[in-house]
């Protein structure tokens, strides 16, 4: 899918799914501005994309901080050009306890990165898309956690449920401006986040409930992000597209046929 000449911002682009999307967009011809808290890693990954022949630049940013995001978006518009594509992949997962043992600080922190961050980025980008008349696309990285509750991830699941609704209300507001807003809901995907958080019993449990019988590679989520950025998805807006290996299709309390 060609993204020739498009200017893209990808948040959370120093690793995992965000990095895979940045690489894919650069390979498809976009000029990609990668942003993340991890500056050293982000700079290295942007350099690797340039070395491979793509266009990439890294700018550090805390996407939960409105002033910093405004500066980032302003700089991109001035130094790179009007923004066509924005992907919000920055996310954190701070689980482990049921909601009644979760501190307000932890709950609020997860919401500030996973939900308020995409609101801040979306707002800054959308206002400029409207002003410049760009018919672009905004893509959020949600999760199967938007619709499947996990008792010990109250903040994460709430943030992703909210993100899928934010996707809808943004899509409604941007439709008249020709900008599409969608989300991707990955199932289990190999990334630094999953590698750090999951032990073998947790992996086995997830695989037992994943019909395709494996985790996704981040590149497979990037393929969906390329589709949602391209004209091939020109009539899709307000959706969360689940790249989940069949997890949401499975009623796992019913036994498999012998
Ligand atoms: N990996 C999975 O199985 C999976 C499944 C469903 C959804 N997701 C979602 O996909 C997205 C990417 O996850 P991942 O698995 O690649 O995780 P990851 O931890 O590998 O990548 C997330 C990146 O976001 C960055 N980040 C965190 N807070 C930030 C902030 N305030 N500002 C800027 N950058 C920040 C991190 O530094 C990191 O590089 C997340 O939103 C996550 O919730 C992942």
């Amino acid at each position: 899918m060609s993204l020739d000449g498009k200017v893209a911002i990808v948040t959370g682009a120093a690793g995992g799914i965000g990095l895979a999307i940045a690489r894919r967009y650069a390979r498809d011809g976009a000029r990609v501005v990668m942003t993340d808290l991890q500056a050293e890693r982000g700079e290295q990954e942007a350099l690797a994309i340039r070395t491979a022949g793509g266009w990439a630049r890294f700018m550090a940013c805390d996407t939960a901080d409105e002033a910093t995001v405004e500066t980032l978006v302003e700089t991109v518009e001035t130094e790179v050009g009007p923004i066509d594509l924005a992907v919000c992949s920055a996310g954190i997962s701070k689980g482990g306890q049921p909601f009644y043992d979760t501190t307000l600080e932890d709950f609020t922190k997860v919401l500030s990165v996973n939900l308020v961050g995409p609101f801040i980025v979306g707002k800054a980008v959308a206002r400029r898309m409207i002003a410049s008349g760009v018919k672009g696309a905004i893509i959020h990285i949600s999760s199967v956690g938007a619709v499947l509750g996990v008792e010990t991830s109250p903040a994460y699941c709430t943030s992703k449920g909210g993100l899928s609704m934010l996707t809808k209300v943004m899509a409604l507001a941007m439709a008249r401006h020709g900008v599409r807003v969608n989300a991707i809901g990955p199932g289990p995907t190999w990334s630094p986040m999953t590698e750090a958080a999951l032990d073998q019993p947790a992996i086995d449990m997830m695989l037992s409930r994943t019909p395709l019988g494996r985790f996704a590679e981040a590149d497979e989520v990037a393929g969906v992000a390329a589709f949602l950025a391209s004209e091939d998805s020109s009539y899709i807006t307000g959706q969360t597209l689940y790249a989940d290996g069949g997890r949401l299709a499975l009623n796992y309390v019913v036994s498999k046929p012998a």
Side-chain angles (χ1 to χ4, degrees), residues 128-202:
R128 284 170 177 82
M129 284 177 167
I130 292 168
S132 59
V134 163
K135 312 282 184 230
I138 299 173
I139 297 162
H140 296 143
I141 308 301
S142 183
S143 166
V144 290
V147 286
L148 291 176
V150 177
E151 181 182 328
T152 51
S153 294
Y156 185 81
C157 292
T158 303
S159 71
K160 296 300 186 180
L163 186 55
S164 287
M165 181 49 77
L166 179 66
T167 302
K168 291 184 189 183
V169 296
M170 284 175 57
L172 297 178
M174 294 307 285
R176 73 184 71 94
H177 302 289
V179 175
R180 295 178 301 107
V181 186
N182 289 292
I184 303 170
T189 305
W190 288 120
S191 76
M193 183 189 274
T194 41
E195 279 154 27
L198 299 177
D199 58 12
Q200 198 55 46

Side-chain angles (χ1 to χ4, degrees), residues 72-83 125 128-129 132:
L72 168 85
V73 171
E74 183 73 50
T75 310
V76 174
E77 288 260 337
T78 312
E79 297 183 8
V80 188
I83 297 161
V125 168
R128 284 170 177 82
M129 284 177 167
S132 59

Side-chain angles (χ1 to χ4, degrees), residues 25-257:
Y25 280 11
R27 204 182 81 201
D28 288 354
R31 281 176 287 158
V32 185
V33 176
M34 304 160 67
T35 187
D36 203 290
L37 289 175
Q38 298 186 66
E40 200 179 327
R41 176 114 200 259
E43 293 284 6
Q44 282 168 4
E45 297 295 356
L47 175 62
I49 289 175
R50 291 195 295 275
T51 308
W55 195 108
R57 182 167 162 191
F58 179 79
M59 299 183 196
C61 173
D62 177 353
T63 54
D65 183 79
E66 188 167 27
T68 321
V69 170
E70 276 296 331
T71 306
L72 168 85
V73 171
E74 183 73 50
T75 310
V76 174
E77 288 260 337
T78 312
E79 297 183 8
V80 188
I83 297 161
D84 301 281
L85 303 167
V87 179
C88 296
S89 187
I92 56 171
S93 137
K94 235 179 195 298
Q97 285 92 30
F99 78 96
Y100 49 76
D101 286 331
T102 299
T103 64
L104 177 60
E105 191 187 359
D106 281 355
F107 193 84
T108 310
K109 174 72 187 162
V110 173
L111 259 68
S112 76
V113 179
N114 294 8
L115 179 58
V116 179
F119 164 73
I120 292 172
V121 173
K123 196 176 148 187
V125 168
R127 287 198 342 272
R128 284 170 177 82
M129 284 177 167
I130 292 168
S132 59
V134 163
K135 312 282 184 230
I138 299 173
I139 297 162
H140 296 143
I141 308 301
S142 183
S143 166
V144 290
V147 286
L148 291 176
V150 177
E151 181 182 328
T152 51
S153 294
Y156 185 81
C157 292
T158 303
S159 71
K160 296 300 186 180
L163 186 55
S164 287
M165 181 49 77
L166 179 66
T167 302
K168 291 184 189 183
V169 296
M170 284 175 57
L172 297 178
M174 294 307 285
R176 73 184 71 94
H177 302 289
V179 175
R180 295 178 301 107
V181 186
N182 289 292
I184 303 170
T189 305
W190 288 120
S191 76
M193 183 189 274
T194 41
E195 279 154 27
L198 299 177
D199 58 12
Q200 198 55 46
I203 291 170
D204 292 343
M205 170 66 85
M206 290 170 99
L207 290 182
S208 75
R209 293 171 177 187
T210 305
L212 286 183
R214 62 180 178 83
F215 276 40
E217 299 298 333
D219 285 349
E220 295 178 280
V221 180
V224 183
F227 167 66
L228 290 175
S230 77
E231 279 303 302
D232 285 349
S233 61
S234 53
Y235 203 57
I236 299 178
T237 196
Q239 297 294 320
T240 298
L241 193 47
Y242 290 97
D244 68 349
R247 274 188 71 190
L248 296 182
L250 175 69
N251 182 344
Y252 60 81
V253 299
V254 177
S255 12
K256 291 181 188 171

